[in-house]
Amino acid sequence: MPPMKEMFSLFLVTVTSLGLGCTGTGVSIRPDGSPGPQACPEKALETMKILRLRPGDSSTVELDANQSGQSPISVNDGPVESILKEDFGYLPPVTRLYGQIWTGGPNVVIRYYEARPPDGERILICAVARLGRGGLLKKPGPRPGSAVLDFSRSGVYIVDDFR
């Protein structure tokens, strides 16, 4: 039997071969400024099944890799790179999560579309950042398209579509 590291590498190659594709662009915006519904790509659903990530599974994430450990943090509309702080299915801590931030609605919305394990390629996922009682409560930012969050960490939850 091959060593565990070789098995995990083969596993990541298999998952990576499922492909990439969703980036959060082309999402409809609701009248309140929050993003509208969005389907999770079939390839992401397949990848999450292999990774043993099911809707509702959760972990902890450092929301912005560039503001790690700071409090409060300022976030802007657009792409985000976050860092897993705990295991998430087969994804280890320090895995990078890539997604999109929207600050226009009543809460900050962060949707994650890709994950990159420390020794692997980017793979498709569907996940959201949220606190225990729902969304990421925000304070107005210094300019349009930005918001202030009291905490630099949040829960991250697997979803099968974005609502």
Side-chain angles (χ1 to χ4, degrees), residues 14-22 43-44 47 122-125:
T14 302
V15 169
T16 301
S17 70
L18 291 174
L20 300 176
C22 187
K43 288 183 180 182
T47 299
R122 289 186 187 208
I123 53 178
L124 290 178
I125 63 166

Side-chain angles (χ1 to χ4, degrees), residues 20-85:
L20 300 176
C22 187
T23 62
T25 58
V27 175
S28 65
I29 302 298
R30 294 181 171 112
D32 70 359
S34 63
Q38 181 182 21
C40 184
E42 199 59 43
K43 288 183 180 182
L45 295 171
E46 292 171 20
T47 299
M48 293 186 304
K49 185 175 182 179
I50 292 169
L51 290 173
R52 295 187 183 176
L53 293 170
R54 294 170 183 82
D57 287 352
S58 65
S59 187
T60 304
V61 67
E62 189 73 41
L63 291 170
D64 185 344
N66 297 315
Q67 299 181 72
S68 185
Q70 297 179 25
S71 188
I73 64 170
S74 179
V75 295
N76 300 301
D77 289 336
V80 65
E81 177 184 13
S82 301
I83 305 170
L84 275 180
K85 302 307 283 183

Side-chain angles (χ1 to χ4, degrees), residues 107-122:
N107 295 313
V108 170
V109 174
I110 302 176
R111 293 179 177 176
Y112 295 107
Y113 302 104
E114 297 175 356
R116 185 176 188 162
D119 295 332
E121 300 293 320
R122 289 186 187 208

Side-chain angles (χ1 to χ4, degrees), residues 138-150:
K138 70 177 188 178
K139 296 178 183 173
R143 63 191 168 285
S146 69
V148 174
L149 299 172
D150 284 332

